[in-house]
């Protein structure tokens, strides 16, 4: 399918690259393709086909859950645990990776709502001396336009050795930022969208500086508790997923090498950029609540959904992705890739229909690409472009084409 490509010497899927490093030209005025009204019925058969294809392509298990105005549809294939053969099911908790970024953005936007900072504040005002460029603002961080280098590029250049080197490591935020600052900036502040975990590490530092509390406490008190997300946790630096969970299986770079059980890890390399644990149900509840306006003021949600176009069918807001599907429907949420787990968690513009899909493998661009098909089946119904049967790519390769930056967007 032509999706294998190279990032810092490591093989990842084209879809991964498309999410990571696509400079973008404009912000603010770029409208979603269509509103969510008049959605077609979800195509659960299509979803199942996609999950089965992911299984054939190397995922030990794959599952999806659709919450639609009180109705629930679930599908799962394969196993949560290759050792015991236990089947993967909706109740299984898993690591959500960068879906964490939306949680972190929500906490910061609530703090903006409370008047404790402004989106256009320089980071320097709150964390003096941390960053070398005083022009970097909070908005730049949350929209991946700070120009701060992503330290994970070096860290995971070699997939399994990179992972094993940090599996039990406990980093301070500052150590992670220092790793990023060993590299020159990738762009001037505000000039370009370039996905970087460093942005959300600094965002976590801001949360802790402004509140005097850990991000764990802020997630709990502001989001997990109020929404009743009883299967959602932030256990850093703990290494275990509490309770019933899917084990994660990392795909080595070397073809044919056995999968590595990557379940146990600190995720300290990501923290506020990627260490939340959750379930399909809780992520659907979270994104429905967010887009439904139950977590921030309308004004802050409007800020969160000012889009930078990052590819033909993708845009980024503040800790939030938008995907424009083949049927003209746009959906909002985030993706996650943490060792052993790929997540898609998206909802409609009004939060009325949500889908979360998980495959318990990673470093397998084919599976990641295939899983995108769950969105097509969930939100476009039988008209969606999911092609689970053939395993053919839904994402087009040209989505990775970089776009030229034309200048500083208004209000940035
Ligand atoms: S990458 C992404 C995804 N995000 C970013 C973040 C997350 N995850 C990471 O930065 C982990 C990168 C290493 C993952 C590892 C694997 O596949 O398990 N890959 C390698 O080590 C490759 N050498 C932009 C895809 C997102 O969707 O936002 O999550």
């Amino acid at each position: 399918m032509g999706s294998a490509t190279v990032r810092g010497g490591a093989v990842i899927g084209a879809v991964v690259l498309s999410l990571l490093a696509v400079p973008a030209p404009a912000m603010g005025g770029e409208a979603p393709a269509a509103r969510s009204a008049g959605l077609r019925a979800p195509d659960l058969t299509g979803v199942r086909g996609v999950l089965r294809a992911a299984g054939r392509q190397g995922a030990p298990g794959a599952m999806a859950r659709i919450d639609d105005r009180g109705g629930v549809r679930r599908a799962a294939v394969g196993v949560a645990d290759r050792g015991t053969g236990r089947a993967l099911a909706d109740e299984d908790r898993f690591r959500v990776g960068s879906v964490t970024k939306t949680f972190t953005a929500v906490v910061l936007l609530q703090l903006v709502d409370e008047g404790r900072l402004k989106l256009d504040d320089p980071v320097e005002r709150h964390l003096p001396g941390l960053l070398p460029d005083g022009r970097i603002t909070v908005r730049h961080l949350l929209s991946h336009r700070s120009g701060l280098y992503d330290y994970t590029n070096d860290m995971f250049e070699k997939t399994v050795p990179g992972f094993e080197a940090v599996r039990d490591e406990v980093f301070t935020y500052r150590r992670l930022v220092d790793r990023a600052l060993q590299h020159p900036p990738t762009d001037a502040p505000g000039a370009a969208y370039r996905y970087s975990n460093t942005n959300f590490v600094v965002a976590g530092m801001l949360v802790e500086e402004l509140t005097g509390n850990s991000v764990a406490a802020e997630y709990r008190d502001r989001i997990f508790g109020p929404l009743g997300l009883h299967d959602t946790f932030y256990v850093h630096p703990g290494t275990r997923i509490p309770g019933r969970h899917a084990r994660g299986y990392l795909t080595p770079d070397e073809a044919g090498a056995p999968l590595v059980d990557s379940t146990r890890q600190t995720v300290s390399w990501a923290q506020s950029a990627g260490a939340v644990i959750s379930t399909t149900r809780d992520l659907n509840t979270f994104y429905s609540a967010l887009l439904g306006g139950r977590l921030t003021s309308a004004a802050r949600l409007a800020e969160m959904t000012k889009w930078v176009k990052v590819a033909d069918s993708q845009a980024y807001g503040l800790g939030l992705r938008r995907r424009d599907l083949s049927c003209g429907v746009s959906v909002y949420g985030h993706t996650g890739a943490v060792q052993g787990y790929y997540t898609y968690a998206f909802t409609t513009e009004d939060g009325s229909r949500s889908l979360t899909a998980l495959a318990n493998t990673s470093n397998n661009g084919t599976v990641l690409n295939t899983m995108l098909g769950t969105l097509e089946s969930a939100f476009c119904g039988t008209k969606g472009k999911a092609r689970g049967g053939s395993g053919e790519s839904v994402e087009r390769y040209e989505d990775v084409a970089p776009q030229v930056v034309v200048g500083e967007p208004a209000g940035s």
Side-chain angles (χ1 to χ4, degrees):
M1 65 175 200
S3 72
T5 186
V6 171
R7 168 193 170 211
V11 179
I12 56 171
V15 64
V16 178
L17 190 69
S18 77
L19 299 172
L20 279 170
V22 184
M27 181 184 180
E30 216 260 315
R35 308 209 168 250
S36 56
L39 281 178
R40 293 190 175 87
D43 173 18
L44 202 63
T45 307
V47 171
R48 276 203 198 93
V50 170
L51 302 179
R52 282 197 204 104
R56 287 194 298 276
Q57 293 161 355
M63 64 177 169
R65 172 183 169 121
I66 300 167
D67 283 84
D68 189 11
R69 298 172 203 271
V72 183
R73 294 173 175 82
R74 303 173 183 85
V77 304
V79 296
D81 185 327
R82 295 174 83 214
T84 64
R86 184 173 71 73
L88 182 67
D90 195 43
E91 300 75 37
D92 282 313
R93 298 167 181 165
F94 53 90
R95 299 194 186 281
V96 308
S98 288
V99 174
T100 303
K101 291 183 169 72
T102 314
F103 286 87
T104 303
V106 165
V107 172
L108 271 177
L109 289 165
Q110 289 189 357
L111 293 171
V112 172
D113 272 331
E114 293 160 18
R116 294 160 82 172
L117 82 163
K118 293 192 175 65
L119 277 170
D120 294 312
D121 280 353
V123 173
E124 179 68 17
R125 182 168 304 162
H126 304 287
L127 297 168
L130 178 71
L131 302 179
D133 192 326
R135 296 172 298 169
I136 297 173
T137 66
V138 178
R139 191 190 300 274
H140 291 151
L141 296 177
L142 298 183
S143 57
H144 292 295
R145 293 179 305 122
S146 67
L148 292 170
Y149 181 83
D150 189 342
Y151 58 84
T152 61
N153 291 346
D154 307 334
M155 200 176 254
F156 300 128
E157 192 175 339
K158 295 195 170 88
T159 302
V160 174
F163 169 64
E164 294 297 359
V166 300
R167 186 199 273 266
D168 295 306
E169 192 70 36
V170 180
F171 291 100
T172 60
Y173 283 130
R174 197 168 280 271
R175 252 180 87 201
L176 294 173
V177 173
D178 285 348
R179 286 178 79 128
L181 296 182
Q182 284 165 14
H183 295 262
T186 53
D187 307 278
Y193 167 89
R194 196 172 302 274
Y195 193 101
S196 173
N197 287 303
T198 311
N199 292 315
F200 280 77
V201 165
V202 178
M205 293 180 85
L206 278 171
V207 167
E208 298 199 345
E209 176 64 27
L210 289 161
T211 63
N213 299 321
S214 64
V215 289
E218 293 298 321
Y219 293 146
R220 185 195 61 214
D221 295 348
R222 293 173 178 276
I223 307 175
F224 304 168
L227 293 182
L229 307 184
H230 301 301
D231 296 312
T232 303
F233 305 89
Y234 184 86
V235 301
H236 177 265
T239 58
R240 295 186 190 279
I241 301 177
R244 176 179 170 150
H245 60 272
R247 300 198 75 80
Y249 297 98
L250 176 62
T251 312
D253 294 332
E254 301 72 25
L259 297 175
V260 172
D261 186 329
S262 51
T263 316
R264 181 188 57 76
Q265 68 152 316
T266 58
V267 205
S268 196
W269 60 268
Q271 301 187 54
S272 47
V276 164
I277 293 161
S278 191
T279 57
T280 55
R281 180 183 56 187
D282 278 4
L283 292 185
N284 284 351
T285 302
F286 170 60
Y287 280 111
S288 282
L290 175 59
L291 272 293
R294 285 182 280 133
L295 284 172
T296 68
S297 66
R300 297 292 84 73
L301 185 57
E303 304 270 17
M304 213 168 177
T305 53
K306 279 185 185 166
W307 303 108
V308 171
K309 183 174 179 180
V310 303
D312 274 353
S313 56
Q314 299 181 45
Y316 206 91
L318 300 180
L320 194 66
R321 291 188 186 282
R322 191 188 87 217
R323 284 200 173 252
D324 303 330
L325 302 178
S326 65
C327 58
V329 170
S330 294
V331 290
Y332 309 85
H334 217 289
T335 41
V338 60
Q339 290 85 1
Y341 304 92
Y342 280 143
T343 303
Y344 283 87
F346 284 83
T347 194
T348 49
E349 189 177 26
D350 60 0
S352 63
R353 185 186 298 174
S354 301
L355 161 100
T356 295
L358 168 86
N360 61 345
T361 194
S362 69
N363 198 40
N364 179 333
T366 310
V367 167
L368 181 60
N369 217 9
T370 291
M371 291 295 286
L372 177 61
T374 58
L375 269 69
E376 288 281 334
S377 295
F379 297 106
C380 295
T382 52
K383 300 283 183 205
K385 268 174 69 181
R387 296 171 189 151
S390 66
E392 198 178 326
S393 165
V394 177
E395 190 96 334
R396 296 186 313 280
Y397 188 73
E398 58 268 31
D399 280 352
V400 303
Q403 311 214 6
V404 179
V405 181
V406 291
E408 179 87 359
S412 66

